[in-house]
Amino acid sequence: MTTSTVTATPSATAPRKDTAPDPARARLRRRLARWGFVAPAVVFMLLFFGYPLVRNVVMSFQHYTPKTFFTGEAPFNGGDNWSSVFQDALFGKALWHTLVFTAGSLLGQFCVGLALAVFFNRRFPLRGVLRSLILLPWLVPMVVSGVVWRRILDQDTGVLNTFLDTLGLAGHTPWLTSPDMALLSVILVNIWIGIPFNMVILYGGLQEIPRELYEAASLDGASAWRAFRSVTLPMLRPVITVVLVLGFMSTVKILDLILALTDGGPADATQTLGTLTYQNSFVELDFGAGAVVGNVLILISAVFAVFYLRANRTEGK
């Protein structure tokens, strides 16, 4: 009797264990993915903000004239552009007008905007319709607003003087033609334009304040003014910071409104750093001097941008 023995042969292909991914390679892929999302924004900022900024700084140290556009020659002249601008009496006057214009506009826009935000924070009929109508000055292009207000403030045929004359008041006030009145008139027009922005942002901040805080203040016997000082203003502090800093950065460089109203006159009474940049570059064709004034504006805006970031960081902590 024969017994056959069958020998089991092991499988030729044994199952392979999955190898663990390389941590360094995984981190590299994640880093590349993050940069892939950020890269378009970085390229955009470098092309449309970084390059013009660097080019403007370089131009402020060059003798840049209309001839440069054809020849490409713009020799460096050291700090001649800076010294000539700083020694010009018009630069000091424009700097002072810029500070007065910015401070007056921000103060008026903020105070009126806050008052309207508190007013619309209550419920009453047609609240939404009235709030929408107040937004109209903000939606109209600034040049259009300037042209309309120039007609309104005209000394001889303006609607405002005609209305004042009807009431028996001073009906021939030179709102835009008097060196003593022009800057004030421009400030008032800019306040009218900026009120809606302040109102909308502050109104949104008021909506985020818990009603329980006002109820607790009322139970403690606090008056409306005391509740406003002790509850509303402290809770609105982050929003107020945003409104004032963004308002400053948009107001300090205003050009089109002043050009439409007074063109920097009369007798340079409304000349600001923005209009001085325009005048040096595109009227006198001194692009180097215009770049100097533009760099001063950029520096001022950068200082307040740093202040804004630091204030936000402090509020976040």
Side-chain angles (χ1 to χ4, degrees):
M1 182 175 181
T2 306
T3 304
S4 59
T5 304
V6 179
T7 304
T9 60
S11 176
T13 58
R16 291 173 53 187
K17 294 183 179 181
D18 294 335
T19 59
D22 186 6
R25 184 175 299 177
R27 285 195 301 270
L28 178 61
R29 283 199 298 265
R30 288 194 298 268
R31 189 177 295 112
L32 290 177
R34 287 195 296 266
W35 276 107
F37 286 107
V38 175
V42 173
V43 172
F44 177 84
M45 294 291 291
L46 290 177
L47 288 178
F48 295 97
F49 291 94
Y51 174 75
L53 178 61
V54 173
R55 192 70 189 89
N56 196 67
V57 173
V58 174
M59 189 184 298
S60 66
F61 294 97
Q62 292 177 313
H63 181 64
Y64 208 99
T65 62
K67 184 180 179 181
T68 305
F69 291 99
F70 301 97
T71 63
E73 298 177 357
F76 284 89
N77 57 7
D80 291 348
N81 292 331
W82 292 82
S83 60
S84 63
V85 168
F86 288 156
Q87 291 174 4
D88 188 2
L90 185 57
F91 175 79
K93 185 185 295 186
L95 180 60
W96 171 248
H97 292 163
T98 302
L99 296 178
V100 173
F101 174 76
T102 303
S105 298
L106 289 182
L107 181 62
Q109 292 171 0
F110 174 76
C111 292
V112 179
L114 180 59
L116 289 175
V118 173
F119 175 74
F120 284 111
N121 197 36
R122 299 177 298 174
R123 296 185 179 274
F124 57 89
L126 300 178
R127 180 183 64 163
V129 175
L130 293 176
R131 195 168 67 241
S132 301
L133 291 176
I134 292 179
L135 291 177
L136 290 179
W138 190 32
L139 301 177
V140 176
M142 194 168 292
V143 174
V144 176
S145 299
V147 172
V148 171
W149 274 101
R150 185 168 185 170
R151 298 293 299 272
I152 293 175
L153 298 176
D154 187 86
Q155 181 178 356
D156 299 322
T157 61
V159 176
L160 181 58
N161 278 342
T162 302
F163 176 72
L164 293 176
D165 190 36
T166 304
L167 297 179
L169 302 175
H172 296 282
T173 304
W175 298 102
L176 299 176
T177 56
S178 170
D180 299 326
M181 294 290 298
L183 184 59
L184 175 62
S185 301
V186 174
I187 291 174
L188 292 176
V189 174
N190 192 51
I191 290 175
W192 176 82
I193 293 174
I195 285 175
F197 171 78
N198 286 258
M199 184 197 71
V200 168
I201 304 299
L202 294 171
Y203 176 80
L206 290 174
Q207 294 293 303
E208 298 298 325
I209 301 178
R211 298 298 174 186
E212 292 80 4
L213 297 178
Y214 293 105
E215 295 174 0
S218 178
L219 292 176
D220 290 339
S223 61
W225 173 244
R226 181 59 184 273
F228 176 78
R229 288 190 300 135
S230 303
V231 178
T232 304
L233 286 181
M235 296 297 293
L236 273 182
R237 189 174 302 162
V239 181
I240 291 174
T241 302
V242 172
V243 167
L244 292 180
V245 175
L246 293 182
F248 175 88
M249 295 178 66
S250 62
T251 303
V252 73
K253 58 183 178 59
I254 280 184
L255 169 66
D256 42 3
L257 177 65
I258 299 178
L259 289 182
L261 285 172
T262 62
D263 197 20
D268 296 321
T270 58
Q271 196 78 258
T272 63
L273 292 180
T275 59
L276 185 59
T277 304
Y278 174 83
Q279 177 176 319
N280 286 338
S281 299
F282 301 107
V283 177
E284 299 178 3
L285 300 180
D286 188 354
F287 298 101
V292 171
V293 183
N295 288 328
V296 173
L297 270 177
I298 293 172
L299 181 61
I300 295 174
S301 300
V303 170
F304 275 83
V306 172
F307 168 76
Y308 168 65
L309 294 176
R310 289 177 62 88
N312 275 357
R313 186 179 304 172
T314 303
E315 294 293 339
K317 294 179 181 179

